[in-house]
Amino acid sequence: MFRNLGENIKKKLLAVNIWSLILLIVGIFLLVRPESTLFMICRLLGVAMIVIGALLIASYINMRGEPVAAGALAGGVILAAFGIFILARPDVIAAFAGILFAVILISYACGQFVEMSTLRTFHDDRWYLCLIGGIVTMILGVVFLFHPMRLTSVLVQVAGAAMIYAAICGFVFHKRTADFASEVHDAAE
């Protein structure tokens, strides 16, 4: 029983090692080349949308006369058109993500100003912390609103760093589990 357990663990660890290596490589690429990676992801999304759109259009051709056929055609055309747009202008999609995060930061800063006002009303001695946090968050939000690609690049780099960390954890897990598997194997003999 333990002999099979050790062999099963070793097989699963190979998958962990491969996945960790992939995470490490992608993480480094995200960290070093965030904008290129983001554009590549947008292009892959565009290609996927075109393929799915084409499949929906093909299913429309096969289902003519069926009640759902018009929906397949409409969905296919919309997906394919949006996919073509993404392929042609990945920078617009990437910038939109940065603008969305900038708006979230600005909204959060407004909330901090409300909290500051509430704390001042109750004569709290540390109301100024919300003021400082609100000002810093508002400045970041406004800067990122006018430079959305910078924020998007930073977020992609953070994702890259997280992938590198996950890869390192995977390698550590592999080492520790391999040691455990060896101990189980040795104990079974």
Side-chain angles (χ1 to χ4, degrees):
M1 176 176 141
F2 285 115
R3 221 172 273 202
N4 289 339
L5 176 66
E7 291 303 313
N8 287 336
I9 289 173
K10 287 180 182 179
K11 289 176 186 175
K12 291 186 193 272
L13 289 180
L14 177 61
V16 169
N17 254 357
I18 292 170
W19 183 244
S20 295
L21 186 60
I22 290 169
L23 281 175
L24 182 65
I25 292 167
V26 171
I28 290 170
F29 192 63
L30 289 172
L31 200 58
V32 175
R33 310 249 345 193
E35 288 183 17
S36 300
T37 306
L38 189 60
F39 288 162
M40 182 181 66
I41 291 168
C42 286
R43 287 185 182 105
L44 289 173
L45 179 64
V47 168
M49 292 176 82
I50 291 169
V51 168
I52 293 169
L55 290 174
L56 285 172
I57 292 169
S59 70
Y60 162 76
I61 293 169
N62 290 332
M63 297 187 308
R64 255 188 230 168
E66 298 290 324
V68 295
L73 178 63
V77 169
I78 290 169
L79 276 175
F82 198 60
I84 291 168
F85 175 75
I86 291 173
L87 276 178
R89 297 293 311 267
D91 56 318
V92 172
I93 301 303
F96 176 74
I99 291 170
L100 179 64
F101 287 117
V103 168
I104 291 169
L105 285 174
I106 291 169
S107 299
Y108 185 74
C110 291
Q112 286 181 312
F113 293 138
V114 170
E115 291 171 6
M116 181 261 324
S117 177
T118 303
L119 290 175
R120 280 194 69 186
T121 302
F122 291 118
H123 304 292
D124 188 286
D125 292 339
R126 295 194 177 109
W127 61 267
Y128 61 90
L129 294 175
C130 286
L131 176 65
I132 294 168
I135 290 171
V136 169
T137 306
M138 180 64 76
I139 290 170
L140 286 173
V142 170
V143 166
F144 290 142
L145 187 63
F146 291 105
H147 302 284
M149 281 306 299
R150 187 169 310 274
L151 174 63
T152 306
S153 295
V154 168
L155 292 174
V156 169
Q157 287 177 314
V158 168
M163 287 180 159
I164 292 169
Y165 175 76
I168 292 169
C169 289
F171 290 132
V172 169
F173 170 79
H174 174 263
K175 172 70 175 119
R176 295 183 63 131
T177 308
D179 291 347
F180 170 73
S182 292
E183 288 174 18
V184 168
H185 186 267
D186 291 345
E189 293 181 347

